[in-house]
Amino acid sequence: MDCPSGRQMRISGWGRYAAAEARVHSPDSQGSLNGCLFKLDSLIPRGLGRSYGDSSLNSDVIATGRLDRMLAFDEKEGLLKCQSGVSLAEMLDVFVSEGWFLPVAPGTKFVSLGGAIASDIHGKNHHREGSFSDHLASVEVMLPNGEVTACSKKENNELFKATCGGMGLTGFILNATLRMKKIETAFIKQKTLRAGNLDEIMDLFEGHKESSYSVAWIDCLAGGGRLGRGILMLGEHAERDEAQGGLSLKGGYKLNIPFDFPGLVLNSFTAKGFNAVYYNLHSRAHESLVGYDKFFFPLDGIHNWNRIYGSRGFAQYPFVLPKEAGREGCRRILHKIGASGRGAFLAVLKLFGRGNENLLSFPMEGYTLALDFPVTRNLFKFFDEMDEIVLAYGGRLYLTKDVRMSGEMFRKSYIDSARFMEYKHALDKAGKFRSLQSRRLGI
C-alpha cells in the first residue's frame, strides 16, 4: 500500500522552542506504514508531540494517531495489547472503571503508547516499580528493512533494549502488550509533608521508601539554610472502603490558556513570589483523598499550559545523579540557579530506584530533578555550565526532554551510547530513522 501524502506543516516539541517544517504522514495500516518506509529517505515516528524538544522532528514525520486500536485484553493476567497510537488517556478512560490502572504513569496522560516505550517513561513510583518497559510483555517493531519482529526481555532482547528508550530510532513500534495494575478505586490517598531545605526533603524521601508514589516540588530560588526547601507528596491507591466514589470519577473543570503570555510575566521576581505562596500554603502535614487525575496529571487540567512561557517557549533541564552524589550535586545546581537569578517555575524532584538494562533509558538509582525555564538569551550557555556539574557527579540528561545537549555530553553520560549507535547502524545502514535530535547528538 502507498504511503499517504504528507501534509506540510510547522511542528514543534511541547516546549515550543525547537520547530521544523515537516511533511506529516498519517498511515492507518501496517501496509501504508511499509509504503512510507520505502518511499521516504528519512523519517521519525511521532505520537502526541509531548516530548519537549526535537526528538520527534524531521523533514518527514510519521504520525501514529490513526493506529489507535486496542487489540486484546487478558483479564486474568491483566495484559493489554494496543497499537502504538493509543494514548495513555484512552487506556485510562476504558480500564479504570474496570479496576485497572497503568503500571507506570508519567506527568501527562496525553502520551501515545509508542512514545511511552520510545522514551521508556518513568513516574512517581520508579523507586518501587521501575520504568514503563519493565512492565511490557512484548513489543512488535517494523524494522528499517520492513521486517516485523517481536521483542521482549526474553525474545530478541537486544532489539528490546535498544527500542525501549531508543527515541524511535530502531523502527516503527507497531503494537505492544502491557501488564496493567489491579486497583479497587479511582482515588489516591495523598499525604503532603513540608521540608525546610534539601537535606530535609531527601531525608523524607528516604524515610518513605515504602510509599507507592512519591514526588516533591522544590523551591529552586530559596537560599541559605532554606536552599532546596519543598513539599513532598506521597500517594497510595485507595481501597474500596476508603473511597465512596469507587471506580467512578467525575471529570473536573478544565482551564485553557488561549494565548501566549507576555515574556515579562515570567521572571525571577514572579517566580520567587509564586514559590513563597505555594510553600506557605502547605504549612503542615495534610492528608486528603483525590482523584487519580489530580495526583498523577495535575497540569493536564490546564490545556495549552506551555503558552504560559510565551511565544519563545521554554526548555527543561532534566538531570539524574547517582544516589551517593545526589545531595551534593543537587545542592551545587540549586546554588548555581540562585546565583544566576533565573527563575524556574516548575522544579520537580523524584527518587529513582535501580535502572534497567536498556541502552538509552534515563533512570539510574539516585535523585532526578527537572527544572523548567523560559527561553531567554544565554539560557543554553547557562545549561552548558550546569552540564559540567552533572558530568562531574556521574549524571545524565533525559533525552525526551532535551533540546540542546551536545553530542559530547551524550556520549560521556550515556555509558551504552556507543553500543546503541553500533546496533542502530547495523540495523539501519541507510540511516532511515533519524530526527533533529539524533543528528545533533551524532547518532
Side-chain angles (χ1 to χ4, degrees), residues 272-293:
K272 285 181 179 178
F274 171 82
N275 289 355
V277 170
Y278 188 79
Y279 182 74
N280 289 320
L281 282 174
H282 298 84
S283 59
R284 58 184 179 180
H286 177 69
E287 296 184 13
S288 58
L289 191 67
V290 299
Y292 71 83
D293 270 331

Side-chain angles (χ1 to χ4, degrees), residues 276-332:
V277 170
Y278 188 79
Y279 182 74
N280 289 320
L281 282 174
H282 298 84
S283 59
R284 58 184 179 180
H286 177 69
E287 296 184 13
S288 58
L289 191 67
V290 299
Y292 71 83
D293 270 331
K294 185 174 181 180
F295 183 80
F296 290 102
F297 318 114
L299 286 177
D300 284 349
I302 308 174
H303 291 308
N304 301 310
W305 65 261
N306 53 353
R307 290 177 175 171
I308 293 172
Y309 288 92
S311 59
R312 297 182 68 178
F314 74 96
Q316 187 177 98
Y317 194 83
F319 67 93
V320 60
L321 298 177
K323 194 171 185 180
E324 62 274 13
R327 295 188 183 227
E328 183 179 341
C330 286
R331 191 176 291 112
R332 281 192 62 186

Side-chain angles (χ1 to χ4, degrees), residues 5-191:
S5 298
R7 178 186 175 192
Q8 192 73 31
M9 57 192 301
R10 188 167 181 80
I11 59 174
S12 72
W14 185 246
R16 301 178 70 208
Y17 170 75
E21 292 294 332
R23 290 180 297 273
V24 180
H25 309 265
S26 300
D28 62 358
S29 68
Q30 186 171 317
S32 56
L33 267 178
N34 198 276
C36 291
L37 186 62
F38 288 99
K39 174 183 177 182
L40 305 175
D41 292 330
S42 74
L43 49 92
I44 194 71
R46 178 179 170 93
L48 293 175
R50 285 302 181 107
S51 55
Y52 280 29
D54 53 1
S55 59
S56 67
L57 304 184
N58 188 50
S59 55
D60 281 289
V61 167
I62 308 301
T64 62
R66 298 178 70 187
L67 301 167
D68 61 350
R69 296 173 181 84
M70 298 183 190
L71 303 173
F73 182 61
D74 181 339
E75 187 171 2
K76 182 179 179 181
E77 300 294 332
L79 293 173
L80 174 62
K81 183 175 183 179
C82 297
Q83 290 183 308
S84 63
V86 173
S87 71
L88 303 188
E90 291 167 327
M91 294 182 196
L92 292 168
D93 286 345
V94 171
F95 285 95
V96 166
S97 62
E98 300 299 320
W100 298 94
F101 199 75
L102 297 168
V104 169
T108 174
K109 61 184 176 182
F110 299 120
V111 175
S112 70
L113 175 60
I117 296 168
S119 295
D120 199 12
I121 57 172
H122 54 270
K124 299 174 178 66
N125 59 344
H126 189 278
H127 62 292
R128 294 192 60 179
E129 302 288 344
S131 297
F132 197 79
S133 68
D134 295 317
H135 304 272
L136 291 171
S138 66
V139 181
E140 284 190 359
V141 183
M142 180 181 288
L143 303 177
N145 65 3
E147 177 186 342
V148 175
T149 301
C151 61
S152 67
K153 290 184 178 181
K154 298 179 180 180
E155 180 185 14
N156 295 313
N157 181 244
E158 198 70 7
L159 176 62
F160 183 81
K161 290 190 295 185
T163 297
C164 298
M167 306 310 295
L169 298 174
T170 61
F172 292 115
I173 297 171
L174 296 175
N175 57 67
T177 301
L178 176 68
R179 297 183 184 91
M180 300 289 281
K181 175 186 292 188
K182 191 67 178 168
I183 57 172
E184 294 186 11
T185 77
F187 294 86
I188 300 294
K189 294 183 294 181
Q190 177 178 275
K191 184 176 183 180

